[in-house]
Amino acid sequence: MTVTAPGHQKLTMAQTLNRALRDAMTADPAVVVFGEDVGALGGVFRITDGLTAEFGEDRCFDTPLAESGIVGVAVGMAMNGLRPVVEMQFDAFAYPAFEQIVSHVAKMRNRTRGRVALPMVIRVPYAGGIGGVEHHCDSSEAYYAHTPGLHVVAPANPADAYGLLRAAIASDDPVVFLEPKKLYWSKEEVELGAPVPGIGTAVVRREGTDATLIAYGPAVPVALEAAEVAAAEGRSLQVVDLRSIVPFDDETVCAAVRRTGRAVVVAEASGFASVSSEIVARVTERCFHALAAPIRRVTGFDIPYPPPKLEHFQLPGVDRVLDAVDDLQWEDR
Amino acid sequence: MTGDAHHLLPSAEPVTLIDCHGRPVASTAYAAPDAAALVRAFAALVTARRLNDQAYALVRQGRLAVYPSSHGQEACQVAAAQVLAEGDWLFPTYRDTIAAVNRGVDPVEALSLLKGDWHCGYDPYEHHVAPHTTPLATQLPHAVGVAHAARLRGEPTVVMALCGDGGTSEGDFHEALNFAAVLRAPVVFLVQNNEYAISVPLARQTAAPSLAYKGIGYGVPGERVDGNDAAALLAVLGAAVERARAGGGPQLIEAHTYRMQAHTNADDASRYRRDSEVAAWVERDPLTRLEAHLRKRDLLDDARLAELTAEAERVATHLRDGLNRDVTPDPAMLFDHVYARPTPQLAEQAALVADELEREGALR
């Protein structure tokens, strides 16, 4: 898959997501976008900015304020030949749609023996770090990742955001697309026209030899910063960006851990019964003999997401990551 | 927006066109269906009743896991299917097997999930019948989505969405009505009010004067119909379908009927209702009523009834034979349709099961 305009441009994640929607709608008339405030306003984060003006109200429209209805209607539209991309306004506002997602979005293909596919994308602005009030900062990935039948992805930079969203829209399976809110305004040089990653592939974001940091979504920049600081202190940290939580790229992750023999998982979500615990279990099961130390985790605490003034205690920071790295039993080396 | 909601109100009493003794009832609002339509409906009712009772018996014989019977509600089932044109969609619940069969689905396939299988059995696109839905009212937003997609493409599709009285308390019922109204989606919502949600009577479910009032707040016109009168159902549902097809938007129809049997075989109806209540509804049975009407008009005689009964028996035999066949499910298939392509993790798990089966086979 390639994007339309070639060349390098400095773009934010919000801009590349918008461009991905626009390019997908141009490429395929079956792609429709809807949700709360996605029309004239362009979404509360402006991800759908200009789509109604460009493609008309049949292709991008505001809906009543009812998330179960939004996802349920998308199921019917996907059953009947369209590729809906719906926006849940915030992570915690997606919960009314949970029954639709778990009982129908995830199961329709299976309960019709493959006859009815649901090519739909549920976009969820997610996680914290933006000083949001309650119900605006949840890391809800574990709920979706635990549900067979869903793909779950979380980009960590503008280029991947574009590529993963195009891949999600092109997928014949439903995708829960988690957009780290705090990265919406992160800017980087994006090579438009470059090949984009498929769903299900992790990537080594930074090479390193001493230990591996495994992260996804909003935790990736934290891991990269930690690796930068560690390098100045003489320790070489490798950083793996999962990009896709489901399907999980065991191969890339395990190969990375085998190279260093030490690992720390960094995630914003609460640690108990989480994606981070799954990662530790998977890597331990597969790489036990290559490990020089137990895998450590730096995650959110098991508390309701704190208010803005206290959220920095909840979010994994560079210091906590480096402390965890320090705990990887280097004395046994 | 108009302040006048009068046009949204249902009729004061359920629309009836044939009374309990088979006599025609005059209506100013609805014309009676023609003779051919009534004869066709009666033939379907005879088979419907036979299938309901056959399925119930198959539960006792252990061939079906569970059967929520529509015995007593067959007129709703038949009419909901017969008013649709080819290409229209039906969204059934677990109690609407008969409606699905009347759209052309093989009864053996239609009962796959109730047999205890992991899939719906039939291809939903073949007869435009969605897989029946168990979580209450969750299929109603899907119906709106199918209708809206068709409308965006300029297709004349109408969607018939079924639910029961209990389902009208669920959030998805309300969200679906609201979305359908705002999108002006061509959906006919048919609520079969059979008086009970498992054991809970309607009075504990709602304080609304009629379930058809539940559309008014959303701008969806309501109508009430005698759910045991096939003629009235054909007329009211037929009008709603044509109105939706012409661009008039959704409608909510409450059919007053009665669940003659327990919720399922696992339920004990004697704990929450009296036999005398059930007996009163026997008088209003949809089959005897239409039969009396057709006989009065010389549209039915004993010879024709014998033919219809024989045809119903043939379908019941087909169902029996189908469900009596022992099919060993292939565990490998449990992994095949979770995703378009199995994830690496699913492929590993499928291989594990295949290996278990191979070792088990080697031991035999």
mmCIF file of all heavy atoms in Angstrom, chain B residues 63-84:
data_model
loop_
_atom_site.group_PDB
_atom_site.id
_atom_site.type_symbol
_atom_site.label_atom_id
_atom_site.label_comp_id
_atom_site.label_asym_id
_atom_site.label_seq_id
_atom_site.Cartn_x
_atom_site.Cartn_y
_atom_site.Cartn_z
ATOM 1 N N ARG B 63 -32.624 -34.181 21.053
ATOM 2 C CA ARG B 63 -32.030 -33.835 19.759
ATOM 3 C C ARG B 63 -31.825 -32.334 19.610
ATOM 4 O O ARG B 63 -31.072 -31.892 18.743
ATOM 5 C CB ARG B 63 -32.881 -34.340 18.583
ATOM 6 C CG ARG B 63 -33.253 -35.793 18.635
ATOM 7 C CD ARG B 63 -32.074 -36.742 18.846
ATOM 8 N NE ARG B 63 -31.042 -36.663 17.827
ATOM 9 C CZ ARG B 63 -30.083 -37.565 17.666
ATOM 10 N NH1 ARG B 63 -30.013 -38.615 18.473
ATOM 11 N NH2 ARG B 63 -29.180 -37.411 16.731
ATOM 12 N N LEU B 64 -32.534 -31.554 20.392
ATOM 13 C CA LEU B 64 -32.332 -30.101 20.434
ATOM 14 C C LEU B 64 -31.954 -29.748 21.864
ATOM 15 O O LEU B 64 -32.508 -30.323 22.803
ATOM 16 C CB LEU B 64 -33.635 -29.372 20.092
ATOM 17 C CG LEU B 64 -33.957 -28.988 18.655
ATOM 18 C CD1 LEU B 64 -35.334 -28.349 18.595
ATOM 19 C CD2 LEU B 64 -32.924 -28.029 18.088
ATOM 20 N N ALA B 65 -31.036 -28.798 22.031
ATOM 21 C CA ALA B 65 -30.630 -28.414 23.393
ATOM 22 C C ALA B 65 -31.746 -27.652 24.088
ATOM 23 O O ALA B 65 -32.002 -27.811 25.275
ATOM 24 C CB ALA B 65 -29.355 -27.564 23.348
ATOM 25 N N VAL B 66 -32.403 -26.804 23.324
ATOM 26 C CA VAL B 66 -33.418 -25.923 23.902
ATOM 27 C C VAL B 66 -34.287 -25.413 22.758
ATOM 28 O O VAL B 66 -33.813 -25.270 21.632
ATOM 29 C CB VAL B 66 -32.720 -24.768 24.663
ATOM 30 C CG1 VAL B 66 -31.957 -23.864 23.720
ATOM 31 C CG2 VAL B 66 -33.700 -23.952 25.494
ATOM 32 N N TYR B 67 -35.581 -25.174 23.037
ATOM 33 C CA TYR B 67 -36.414 -24.567 21.999
ATOM 34 C C TYR B 67 -37.386 -23.554 22.600
ATOM 35 O O TYR B 67 -38.339 -23.920 23.279
ATOM 36 C CB TYR B 67 -37.199 -25.624 21.212
ATOM 37 C CG TYR B 67 -37.965 -25.010 20.063
ATOM 38 C CD1 TYR B 67 -37.291 -24.395 19.020
ATOM 39 C CD2 TYR B 67 -39.366 -25.009 20.040
ATOM 40 C CE1 TYR B 67 -37.973 -23.790 17.970
ATOM 41 C CE2 TYR B 67 -40.056 -24.409 18.984
ATOM 42 C CZ TYR B 67 -39.360 -23.805 17.955
ATOM 43 O OH TYR B 67 -40.036 -23.203 16.921
ATOM 44 N N PRO B 68 -37.140 -22.293 22.344
ATOM 45 C CA PRO B 68 -38.107 -21.266 22.746
ATOM 46 C C PRO B 68 -39.219 -21.261 21.693
ATOM 47 O O PRO B 68 -39.046 -20.743 20.604
ATOM 48 C CB PRO B 68 -37.293 -19.967 22.708
ATOM 49 C CG PRO B 68 -35.871 -20.384 22.399
ATOM 50 C CD PRO B 68 -35.946 -21.706 21.726
ATOM 51 N N SER B 69 -40.352 -21.843 22.035
ATOM 52 C CA SER B 69 -41.409 -22.074 21.050
ATOM 53 C C SER B 69 -42.225 -20.813 20.787
ATOM 54 O O SER B 69 -42.478 -20.024 21.690
ATOM 55 C CB SER B 69 -42.341 -23.176 21.552
ATOM 56 O OG SER B 69 -43.370 -23.382 20.614
ATOM 57 N N SER B 70 -42.648 -20.677 19.530
ATOM 58 C CA SER B 70 -43.571 -19.592 19.191
ATOM 59 C C SER B 70 -44.986 -20.135 19.033
ATOM 60 O O SER B 70 -45.814 -19.535 18.349
ATOM 61 C CB SER B 70 -43.109 -18.872 17.919
ATOM 62 O OG SER B 70 -43.075 -19.766 16.819
ATOM 63 N N HIS B 71 -45.276 -21.270 19.697
ATOM 64 C CA HIS B 71 -46.637 -21.829 19.688
ATOM 65 C C HIS B 71 -47.602 -20.773 20.217
ATOM 66 O O HIS B 71 -47.436 -20.278 21.324
ATOM 67 C CB HIS B 71 -46.678 -23.087 20.577
ATOM 68 C CG HIS B 71 -48.000 -23.801 20.537
ATOM 69 N ND1 HIS B 71 -48.121 -25.109 20.114
ATOM 70 C CD2 HIS B 71 -49.248 -23.399 20.865
ATOM 71 C CE1 HIS B 71 -49.392 -25.462 20.178
ATOM 72 N NE2 HIS B 71 -50.095 -24.451 20.636
ATOM 73 N N GLY B 72 -48.580 -20.431 19.406
ATOM 74 C CA GLY B 72 -49.520 -19.367 19.776
ATOM 75 C C GLY B 72 -49.192 -18.044 19.096
ATOM 76 O O GLY B 72 -50.043 -17.174 18.954
ATOM 77 N N GLN B 73 -47.936 -17.898 18.672
ATOM 78 C CA GLN B 73 -47.499 -16.661 18.030
ATOM 79 C C GLN B 73 -47.256 -16.853 16.530
ATOM 80 O O GLN B 73 -46.621 -16.008 15.884
ATOM 81 C CB GLN B 73 -46.194 -16.158 18.678
ATOM 82 C CG GLN B 73 -46.291 -15.906 20.160
ATOM 83 C CD GLN B 73 -44.962 -15.557 20.814
ATOM 84 O OE1 GLN B 73 -44.722 -15.973 21.940
ATOM 85 N NE2 GLN B 73 -44.109 -14.806 20.129
ATOM 86 N N GLU B 74 -47.764 -17.952 16.003
ATOM 87 C CA GLU B 74 -47.404 -18.282 14.615
ATOM 88 C C GLU B 74 -47.882 -17.249 13.607
ATOM 89 O O GLU B 74 -47.261 -17.058 12.550
ATOM 90 C CB GLU B 74 -47.942 -19.665 14.234
ATOM 91 C CG GLU B 74 -47.246 -20.830 14.915
ATOM 92 C CD GLU B 74 -47.955 -21.286 16.189
ATOM 93 O OE1 GLU B 74 -48.763 -20.502 16.731
ATOM 94 O OE2 GLU B 74 -47.694 -22.422 16.634
ATOM 95 N N ALA B 75 -48.995 -16.572 13.912
ATOM 96 C CA ALA B 75 -49.486 -15.582 12.935
ATOM 97 C C ALA B 75 -48.467 -14.450 12.777
ATOM 98 O O ALA B 75 -48.244 -13.959 11.662
ATOM 99 C CB ALA B 75 -50.841 -15.033 13.382
ATOM 100 N N CYS B 76 -47.840 -14.044 13.882
ATOM 101 C CA CYS B 76 -46.799 -13.001 13.811
ATOM 102 C C CYS B 76 -45.626 -13.496 12.974
ATOM 103 O O CYS B 76 -45.078 -12.765 12.142
ATOM 104 C CB CYS B 76 -46.287 -12.662 15.206
ATOM 105 S SG CYS B 76 -47.515 -11.961 16.313
ATOM 106 N N GLN B 77 -45.239 -14.745 13.225
ATOM 107 C CA GLN B 77 -44.080 -15.321 12.541
ATOM 108 C C GLN B 77 -44.302 -15.370 11.025
ATOM 109 O O GLN B 77 -43.435 -14.984 10.244
ATOM 110 C CB GLN B 77 -43.846 -16.752 13.060
ATOM 111 C CG GLN B 77 -43.523 -16.823 14.541
ATOM 112 C CD GLN B 77 -42.100 -16.392 14.812
ATOM 113 O OE1 GLN B 77 -41.172 -16.956 14.260
ATOM 114 N NE2 GLN B 77 -41.925 -15.379 15.630
ATOM 115 N N VAL B 78 -45.468 -15.855 10.653
ATOM 116 C CA VAL B 78 -45.780 -16.036 9.235
ATOM 117 C C VAL B 78 -45.942 -14.679 8.542
ATOM 118 O O VAL B 78 -45.367 -14.432 7.480
ATOM 119 C CB VAL B 78 -47.059 -16.897 9.088
ATOM 120 C CG1 VAL B 78 -47.618 -16.802 7.681
ATOM 121 C CG2 VAL B 78 -46.758 -18.341 9.478
ATOM 122 N N ALA B 79 -46.688 -13.789 9.185
ATOM 123 C CA ALA B 79 -46.955 -12.491 8.542
ATOM 124 C C ALA B 79 -45.666 -11.682 8.395
ATOM 125 O O ALA B 79 -45.449 -11.047 7.357
ATOM 126 C CB ALA B 79 -47.992 -11.711 9.349
ATOM 127 N N ALA B 80 -44.808 -11.707 9.419
ATOM 128 C CA ALA B 80 -43.559 -10.934 9.355
ATOM 129 C C ALA B 80 -42.736 -11.341 8.142
ATOM 130 O O ALA B 80 -42.061 -10.512 7.519
ATOM 131 C CB ALA B 80 -42.745 -11.129 10.632
ATOM 132 N N ALA B 81 -42.780 -12.622 7.796
ATOM 133 C CA ALA B 81 -42.017 -13.101 6.646
ATOM 134 C C ALA B 81 -42.758 -12.835 5.337
ATOM 135 O O ALA B 81 -42.153 -12.447 4.334
ATOM 136 C CB ALA B 81 -41.735 -14.598 6.806
ATOM 137 N N GLN B 82 -44.071 -13.037 5.345
ATOM 138 C CA GLN B 82 -44.815 -12.983 4.080
ATOM 139 C C GLN B 82 -44.992 -11.565 3.535
ATOM 140 O O GLN B 82 -45.230 -11.398 2.346
ATOM 141 C CB GLN B 82 -46.169 -13.680 4.234
ATOM 142 C CG GLN B 82 -46.012 -15.202 4.388
ATOM 143 C CD GLN B 82 -47.297 -15.968 4.180
ATOM 144 O OE1 GLN B 82 -48.386 -15.403 4.198
ATOM 145 N NE2 GLN B 82 -47.187 -17.284 3.997
ATOM 146 N N VAL B 83 -44.882 -10.561 4.386
ATOM 147 C CA VAL B 83 -45.044 -9.192 3.866
ATOM 148 C C VAL B 83 -43.772 -8.677 3.192
ATOM 149 O O VAL B 83 -43.788 -7.618 2.575
ATOM 150 C CB VAL B 83 -45.459 -8.192 4.969
ATOM 151 C CG1 VAL B 83 -46.844 -8.533 5.507
ATOM 152 C CG2 VAL B 83 -44.431 -8.152 6.084
ATOM 153 N N LEU B 84 -42.680 -9.417 3.331
ATOM 154 C CA LEU B 84 -41.417 -8.944 2.765
ATOM 155 C C LEU B 84 -41.281 -9.330 1.303
ATOM 156 O O LEU B 84 -41.820 -10.354 0.864
ATOM 157 C CB LEU B 84 -40.233 -9.518 3.554
ATOM 158 C CG LEU B 84 -40.148 -9.112 5.029
ATOM 159 C CD1 LEU B 84 -38.958 -9.791 5.701
ATOM 160 C CD2 LEU B 84 -40.066 -7.598 5.184
#
